[in-house]
Amino acid sequence: RSPWSRATTAGNSWATQVRVEEFVPDRLTISSRIPGSEDRAWIPFSAVKASVRLMNLYGTAAAGNPVRAAFRLSPRSFAFPKFPDYRFQDSWETDKYYEEALPEGATNEAGDADFSIDLSKFEPATFLLTFTAEGLEKQGGRGVTAESSVVVSPLSRIVGWKSDGRLDYIAKGAERRARFIAIDPYQKPVEVRDLRFALDEIRTSGFETVVLK
């Protein structure tokens, strides 16, 4: 290794030195997961569990290694690949962001470390929760990182709709039909009996706009 040094000039010549380091491959591998996120589009807005697995380069468990972790909450709107033509209205949308570090943990004999994310201190809303973990070597401080994410929401179901044509302009005498669907976190249609609909009619005449409900 050679240290950084300053650039020097002499007349029209120019020279500099840079630090060159021997490449040292990572000696650890890391993975993370949030249980419940594999088969659900969102999970409840409550206490969330996250797990980390840290292994040595040759596949043995990295036991007793420190693990740093943090999470962030960012706004998220619902969209589902299984229902590409539907628009989903979420009453829990937000524009807020949060970020917080978690207490440092350590891997057990199997190379695992578990973290609990308490969301009760935050105002309930629909967020994308991103969990980040860094597994460190016992000596030297070098580390590897992993990231997992999942949508969290207070909703137990969400209602979507699609129409058979444009709704921003409907010609006089024309009709539009809308189809509604309610789905659960597993993206399966569910029955909803207590839906209520409100129709807003906007009439524009000259410079006057009247909204009728």
Side-chain angles (χ1 to χ4, degrees):
R1 297 181 181 180
S2 59
W4 290 102
S5 65
R6 65 182 183 276
T8 59
T9 59
N12 293 327
S13 64
W14 182 89
T16 188
Q17 289 182 327
V18 297
R19 187 170 85 178
V20 178
E21 294 186 3
E22 180 183 358
F23 173 72
V24 179
D26 290 329
R27 291 187 283 264
L28 298 171
T29 61
I30 189 174
S31 61
S32 65
R33 61 184 292 266
I34 300 175
S37 64
E38 297 88 351
D39 57 351
R40 285 185 280 184
W42 74 92
I43 62 176
F45 188 93
S46 58
V48 177
K49 300 292 184 181
S51 59
V52 175
R53 173 158 291 180
L54 192 64
M55 307 295 288
N56 291 305
L57 187 61
Y58 300 103
T60 58
N65 288 58
V67 180
R68 298 171 183 164
F71 71 93
R72 66 178 179 270
L73 298 172
S74 53
R76 181 62 175 248
S77 298
F78 279 111
F80 305 99
K82 290 184 178 181
F83 306 96
D85 299 327
Y86 284 84
R87 296 178 60 184
F88 291 87
Q89 186 67 37
D90 181 9
S91 59
W92 292 95
E93 283 188 358
T94 182
D95 58 358
K96 296 180 180 179
Y97 292 80
Y98 302 99
E99 190 166 355
E100 187 172 299
L102 296 170
E104 185 174 298
T107 54
N108 59 20
E109 293 182 356
D112 297 331
D114 296 325
F115 293 87
S116 180
I117 303 173
D118 183 10
L119 300 180
S120 62
K121 66 181 72 174
F122 304 105
E123 181 180 351
T126 298
F127 289 102
L128 177 66
L129 185 154
T130 303
F131 170 78
T132 304
E134 181 182 19
L136 303 172
E137 294 180 352
K138 293 179 181 178
Q139 297 178 350
R142 297 182 71 235
V144 289
T145 61
E147 188 175 274
S148 299
S149 60
V150 66
V151 176
V152 294
S153 178
L155 292 170
S156 60
R157 61 185 180 234
I158 190 168
V159 176
W161 60 273
K162 68 176 181 178
S163 63
D164 60 357
R166 292 176 54 186
L167 297 180
D168 57 343
Y169 176 79
I170 303 176
K172 184 178 180 180
E175 291 185 354
R176 289 289 185 270
R177 298 181 182 275
R179 180 179 178 85
F180 294 83
I181 189 173
I183 61 173
D184 65 10
Y186 297 92
Q187 299 188 57
K188 295 181 179 180
V190 294
E191 183 179 6
V192 179
R193 296 179 177 271
D194 55 352
L195 282 181
R196 295 183 180 182
F197 299 93
L199 176 64
D200 293 348
E201 180 183 356
I202 301 178
R203 294 181 181 179
T204 302
S205 177
F207 296 99
E208 181 180 5
T209 299
V210 180
V211 179
L212 304 176
K213 294 187 177 181

